[in-house]
Amino acid sequence: MSQYKKLHFIVIDDSKLDCFIAEKIIRNTGKSESITCFQQAKDALDYISTAHPDEHSHTIILVDIQMPVMNGFEFVEAFEQLPLHLTSNYTLYIISSSINDTDLSKVHNYPSVKQFLNKPINSNSLAMLLQ
């Protein structure tokens, strides 16, 4: 990730507390240009589909699995349907507080998902994905 001049983050989680925790930890890394939080996955999808990607920036998306309206897996499926010129500057991570074997195995079915991370995000897990 260090090859990018600007590193942006999108946190998608219906829990305000988990969004707050993730934002604080991300900010403390000193590597974020911006952090945008969404409590509805559909809102994040709309944002991404209308964004104008900067070729010198990269965005890390942390998306929770368990959310109302559109869950994390539904978000990933919709994200993967977007044109490549919109999605190529993003790296997706699934986050969840439950370690469900079905969810863990399902994560591997999505080419856009880099890894599964336990919630709440902590500085160690964030440091590993920023390497």
Side-chain angles (χ1 to χ4, degrees):
M1 293 293 158
S2 59
Q3 73 267 29
Y4 298 103
K5 294 179 182 177
K6 299 177 185 173
L7 197 55
H8 302 277
F9 287 83
I10 293 176
V11 179
I12 308 168
D13 197 318
D14 61 315
S15 164
K16 285 183 181 180
L17 178 60
D18 287 335
C19 282
F20 176 78
I21 290 169
E23 190 172 345
K24 287 287 186 195
I25 291 171
I26 292 166
R27 217 172 281 297
N28 285 341
T29 66
K31 295 184 178 187
S32 66
E33 182 78 19
S34 70
I35 305 165
T36 307
C37 293
F38 294 95
Q39 289 183 277
Q40 293 290 327
K42 177 74 172 100
D43 294 340
L45 194 62
D46 291 343
Y47 174 83
I48 291 165
S49 64
T50 60
H52 301 286
D54 173 358
E55 65 186 51
H56 300 294
S57 70
H58 193 78
T59 302
I60 293 174
I61 301 174
L62 305 173
V63 60
D64 186 23
I65 293 174
Q66 300 299 322
M67 292 184 293
V69 184
M70 176 185 267
N71 70 34
F73 292 125
E74 292 167 331
F75 170 84
V76 173
E77 288 167 10
F79 176 86
E80 289 183 348
Q81 297 303 312
L82 294 173
L84 186 60
H85 75 276
L86 290 178
T87 61
S88 62
N89 288 355
Y90 292 90
T91 302
L92 242 62
Y93 293 87
I94 294 281
I95 57 175
S96 182
S97 55
S98 79
I99 303 174
N100 178 323
D101 287 339
T102 305
D103 288 345
L104 284 173
S105 63
K106 197 173 181 180
V107 166
H108 300 293
N109 294 333
Y110 299 104
S112 64
V113 176
K114 179 101 171 165
Q115 188 178 340
F116 175 91
L117 300 171
N118 288 319
K119 225 174 93 162
I121 297 300
N122 61 49
S123 56
N124 289 339
S125 60
L126 192 59
M128 285 179 53
L129 73 91
L130 291 175
Q131 292 179 348

